[in-house]
Amino acid sequence: MALGGLVVALVVVAAIRVPWSAPPAPRSDQLAALRDLPADAVAKGRAFHTALRPGAYGALLLGLIVALILGLTPLGARLIELVGRPFGGNWIAQAVLGGFAVVFVGEVVTLPLAAWRETVLRRYGLSTQTWATWTVDLLKAYAIGAVIGAVALLGYFGLARLAPRWWWAWAAAGAAALTVLFSFVFPVLVEPVFNKFAPMEPGPLRENLIGMARRDGVPVKDVLVADASRRTNALNAYVSGLGPTRRIVVYDTLVREAPPGEVEAVVAHELGHAKDRDVFTGTVIGALGAAAAVCVLYLLGSWTGLLRGAGIEAITDPRAVALLLAVAAVAGLAAAPMQSFVSRRIEARADAHALALTDDPSTVERMEQRLATNNLADVDPPKLEYLMFASHPSVVERIAAARAYARGAR
Ligand SMILES: [Zn+2]
């Protein structure tokens, strides 16, 4: 019943806030764009992604297998018992340390592939990291994951003990609230852990960007520059945060490498996200999804075969952490195509916004080409991979859209 309500709410929010009726440019236009891209850059991007693929899919598969083995057999529950034993089987120790132990096993198994990925990034000149800074990044990410994971696990199992009958309703509300809170504090608490941010230096570029934002009706106090070059040679920009924490960030690499007009084209895309409040939309969808996931867990709790297989008595048993993580892994993979589809449509809308705001499709096209060449994009990725995982329209789609705008504007 509650799950039905959440699914309806999800569908309604998605229907209202996601631009469904904007299909990608015709394939023939995409192929024309592909032909006009420098062949060596296209080949290099393809080779790069071909080199990344075995590690990426290997890690995905290995992570899923480990999660399923630990979650669907009694092995996970036994591991959690073992970790909780020094603490007398205390539920907090089982839930939090047990959760860490289960995640740790998956991380250890996939760590070699993560390191291998980094070697590919270096071989292709995209990474600017040393193994020391790479390791520090990894440890920081673990620490943040540990804090969030501990809060989520303590909340889930704590509510299950406080409210044995209605725990799932409280947990659903809590999961939604946590998602919103995370989106809100992310730019001020999480991003500074990985990068330094400084207001863009005064000058014509900054003036133009602020002026463009004003023209667009998006009040932007500042454009922040991130020291992304400490990690990567890739060019990028993004919008994050909600309300008072909302900000537009450009990579220092972008400011360094791209002509001012192309930086403006990138920021015009980000202003599209800000104006359409895409972070808000994503957060609401995420919050509803998180609440629905808790309801699904509650329903799975009455599947005795599943519980027996996992060696636990109830889905609220702290030894169920491994099963929860297995369910999360499967749900994440199952949701990926829909999530990617929604993301691509939202990104295409931001692209359209950039074209309308700059009214300069040729600069937008040059910018797309520079980003693709510099970031070693697979400009026309394999169809299945695109449908499963592509968060953005492909480069050939984006260039075709810019050309369609140019034809329409003339
Ligand atoms: Zn975007």
Side-chain angles (χ1 to χ4, degrees):
M1 190 46 203
L3 180 62
L6 284 168
V7 170
V8 169
L10 248 176
V11 170
V12 169
V13 170
I16 294 171
R17 311 260 332 162
V18 177
W20 298 102
S21 56
R27 186 66 188 152
S28 53
D29 290 4
Q30 295 176 29
L31 291 174
L34 179 61
R35 275 193 301 276
D36 293 342
L37 281 164
D40 53 339
V42 172
K44 195 173 176 199
R46 271 197 187 134
F48 173 61
H49 283 271
T50 305
L52 281 179
R53 232 163 251 138
Y57 288 115
L60 186 72
L61 194 67
L62 267 177
L64 190 65
I65 289 172
V66 169
L68 290 179
I69 289 178
L70 290 178
L72 300 185
T73 75
L75 277 176
R78 246 178 249 154
L79 174 65
I80 293 160
E81 267 168 43
L82 200 68
V83 174
R85 199 165 292 161
F87 304 89
N90 176 291
W91 74 268
I92 294 177
Q94 282 195 339
V96 176
L97 299 180
F100 290 175
V102 173
V103 173
F104 181 73
V105 173
E107 284 299 324
V108 167
V109 171
T110 53
L111 191 60
L113 291 171
W116 186 60
R117 176 178 190 277
E118 172 65 14
T119 66
V120 176
L121 292 183
R122 286 190 202 173
R123 182 148 42 89
Y124 280 85
L126 217 47
S127 170
T128 56
Q129 289 198 293
T130 63
W131 286 113
T133 62
W134 182 83
T135 306
V136 169
D137 265 6
L138 200 69
L139 294 176
K140 284 177 179 171
Y142 286 163
I144 289 166
V147 172
I148 296 165
V151 170
L153 290 169
L154 283 177
Y156 177 87
F157 292 106
L159 285 168
R161 298 173 82 83
L162 281 172
R165 207 169 131 70
W166 290 100
W167 65 269
W168 59 272
W170 291 107
L178 212 57
T179 307
V180 175
L181 179 73
F182 185 69
S183 216
F184 189 74
V185 300
F186 185 76
V188 277
L189 290 186
V190 179
E191 289 180 34
V193 173
F194 294 98
N195 283 101
K196 288 198 173 66
F197 299 88
M200 185 176 277
E201 278 176 37
L205 178 59
R206 183 196 152 87
E207 294 304 310
N208 283 345
L209 295 177
I210 305 267
M212 181 169 69
R214 198 174 305 131
R215 219 166 56 241
D216 199 18
V218 183
V220 170
K221 285 188 291 290
D222 231 329
V223 175
L224 296 176
V225 178
D227 61 343
S229 57
R230 63 190 300 273
R231 194 168 293 120
T232 181
N233 284 318
L235 314 178
N236 214 339
Y238 64 91
V239 181
S240 64
L242 291 171
T245 68
R246 188 176 75 188
R247 58 218 213 132
I248 293 181
V249 176
V250 296
Y251 280 18
D252 56 352
T253 47
L254 181 73
V255 181
R256 196 179 64 204
E257 300 291 331
E262 293 178 27
V263 178
E264 282 176 39
V266 172
V267 171
H269 169 102
E270 304 306 333
L271 285 172
H273 286 312
K275 191 161 189 175
D276 288 313
R277 299 198 299 151
D278 291 336
V279 176
F280 172 77
T281 302
T283 304
V284 171
I285 291 176
L288 291 171
V294 172
C295 294
V296 168
L297 283 179
Y298 172 70
L299 295 177
L300 286 177
S302 56
W303 182 356
T304 45
L306 186 72
L307 299 184
R308 204 178 306 129
I312 52 174
E313 273 110 55
I315 197 90
T316 52
D317 178 343
R319 293 177 310 147
V321 174
L323 177 59
L324 302 190
L325 290 169
V327 172
V330 172
L333 199 59
M338 198 61 209
Q339 223 171 3
S340 304
F341 180 81
V342 167
S343 174
R344 285 196 300 273
R345 284 295 163 93
I346 286 176
E347 292 297 340
R349 175 170 64 186
D351 279 351
H353 183 88
L355 287 163
L357 182 59
T358 60
D359 194 29
D360 187 357
S362 58
T363 301
V364 168
E365 177 169 346
R366 273 200 303 281
M367 175 273 283
E368 292 292 353
Q369 190 175 324
R370 181 181 308 276
L371 262 59
T373 304
N374 185 88
N375 299 357
L376 303 177
D378 190 349
V379 296
D380 190 27
K383 193 75 187 171
L384 185 62
E385 186 172 288
Y386 173 88
L387 290 175
M388 278 296 290
F389 302 114
S391 61
H392 287 65
S394 68
V395 172
V396 295
E397 277 177 13
R398 299 176 91 168
I399 291 178
R403 292 179 176 183
Y405 177 88
R407 283 197 300 271
R410 244 166 241 148

